[in-house]
Amino acid sequence: MRSDSNRRPPRLTIARRELRMLTAEKTIVLALAIQLFVAAFSSFLVVGLVSLYDPTGADGYQIEAAVTGDAADELLAAASEHERIEPTAYNDLAAAQSAFRTGQADVLFVATWETDPDATADRLRVTTSVPESNVETTIIVAETRTLLQTVERDLRDDRAASLESQPLQPLGEREGNPYYDFTYTVLVPLLVLLPAFISGSITVDSLTEEVERGTLDVLRVAPITLTQIVDGKAAAAIVIAPLQAITWLVLITLNGTPVANLGWLFVLASALAIGIVSIAVGTALLAADRRSAQLLYAVSAIALFAGTAVLADGPTNAIARLAIDSADTTIYASVAVVVAAAIVAYGGVRVIVSRVDPNEL
C-alpha cells in the first residue's frame, strides 16, 4: 500500500487529469496550434488587419475622381493635398456621370454653392457617389471622408477673418501610425483577453459533460468533494490562459513589436482568467444542459466585456497602456481592482459550490 505522504492532493490529480483530457481533444489542440501559428507570423497578420482597421494605411491605391459643379475649384484645391486622389474636372454634369458609370472615375463629386439667407457666406454642398459594395469601396469611402475634411478645414481657414473672436484655439494636426494604433489598442488586448474567454468555455464544457455523461458520479467515488472537483477543473483552465497570452506577446515581441510590462500583463491575464472561469463555473451549475450553459456563458462574457470596455481605466485600456509602457498609478490600481474582484468572484463561487447537492446535478 502507498503511504498517505505519497498520495497526490485531489485538486492536483484532477487538474492533471483535465490537462490530459484537453491535450487529447483534437479540436482544442488544433485551435492552439492555429493560434500559435498566427502569433508566430503576427507581423504579416497585422499588415492585413490594419487594412481593415484603417483602410487609408494600405499603400498602392490610386483613386480617380470626377469633379464637377460651380464649386469644383474648392475640391480640386483640397485634392492636391492628397496623393492618392487624382481629380479630373468636368464642365458638364452628364460627362462626369458618364465617366463614373463607365469606370473611368472611381468616385464622383458634385460641388455646388448654395445661398443661405441666414449666413454671411454661401454654403458649399458636395454630393458624392461611390461604387456599390466591392473590395475597393471601403478605401474609396475612407479617402473621400479625408478629402471632405480637408475641404471643410480650408473653408474654415478662409472664413476665419470674418469671426469677431476666436472661439477655440485649434489643435495642431498629428499624423498617427495605423500599425501602432491597431497593434496596441486592438491586437494586444485581444491576445490577452481571448485565452481567458476560451478557458471559460472549456470549463463550461468540462463541467456540463461530466453531468451529462454521468462521469461525475465516477469522480465522486474517490474521497473528494464537489468543491475539490471544481477546483481541479478550474485550475487546469486558469493555468492555460495566462501562459498562452504571454506566449503570444513574446512571439509578437520577437517579430519586432515590443510589448512592455510582461509581468504585469501576466498578472492581469491570470486575474481575468480566474474571474471569467468563476463565471463559467457558476453558469455550468445553473444551466440545465451544455447548450444552455454555453449560451448563458457567452451572453455573460459579452456583457462583461462590453461593460468594462467603456471604462477609461478598464482592462482593455489597462492592457494597451501597460503594453506601451505608459501606465500610471491609476492603471496599476485598476489591475489591483481586477485581481481583488477575481479573488472575490472565485471565493463566492466556491461557497456556492459547497452548498450544491451533487445528486441534484
Side-chain angles (χ1 to χ4, degrees), residues 232-248:
K233 290 180 176 294
I238 290 171
V239 168
I240 292 175
L243 293 179
Q244 186 179 355
I246 292 301
T247 300
W248 280 0

Side-chain angles (χ1 to χ4, degrees), residues 52 68 87 101 125 151 157 162 269 317 319 331 335 340:
L52 299 176
T68 187
R101 286 194 298 266
R125 177 180 292 275
V151 173
D157 290 342
S162 63
N317 289 336
I319 293 170
I331 294 299
V335 175

